[in-house]
């Protein structure tokens, strides 16, 4: 996965939100994505792995970007 804030950068976001997004992205591996049959499975894995203070919306947004990036490269 890309290691930059560029794809999530928005001047309206706080640095804290961007840092949480980076934490989520850092937790996602290509092996994790390839091992999941469905997006919801990836979300469940991340929910178990990440601390509770990272909100579902942030996890789902970042996971969706990573999921789409991974699978679009496979097509």
């Amino acid at each position: 996965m890309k290691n930059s804030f560029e794809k999530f950068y928005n001047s309206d976001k706080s640095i804290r939100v961007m840092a949480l997004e980076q934490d989520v992205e850092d937790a996602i591996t290509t092996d994790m994505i390839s091992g999941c049959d469905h997006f919801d499975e990836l979300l469940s894995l991340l929910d178990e792995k990440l601390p509770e203070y990272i909100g579902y919306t942030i996890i789902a947004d970042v996971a969706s970007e990573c999921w789409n990036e991974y699978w679009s490269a496979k097509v």
Side-chain angles (χ1 to χ4, degrees):
M1 304 289 89
K2 293 180 183 174
N3 276 330
S4 72
F5 286 119
E6 289 177 23
K7 67 180 176 182
F8 302 114
Y9 180 75
N10 178 332
S11 61
D12 294 335
K13 289 184 182 179
S14 71
I15 291 180
R16 176 168 166 67
V17 170
M18 289 189 294
L20 292 173
E21 289 173 336
Q22 188 64 49
D23 289 345
V24 174
E25 187 175 4
D26 291 345
I28 299 171
T29 65
T30 54
D31 289 340
M32 183 184 291
I33 294 173
S34 67
C36 295
D37 293 327
H38 304 283
F39 179 69
D40 289 337
E41 190 177 347
L42 176 62
L43 288 178
S44 293
L45 289 173
L46 290 171
D47 189 44
E48 293 173 10
K49 185 175 185 175
L50 293 167
E52 290 181 20
Y53 62 81
I54 299 178
Y56 176 82
T57 303
I58 292 173
I59 294 171
D61 288 347
V62 175
S64 177
E65 288 287 328
C66 293
W67 178 271
N68 291 333
E69 180 183 321
Y70 176 82
W71 289 110
S72 65
K74 295 291 182 186
V75 175

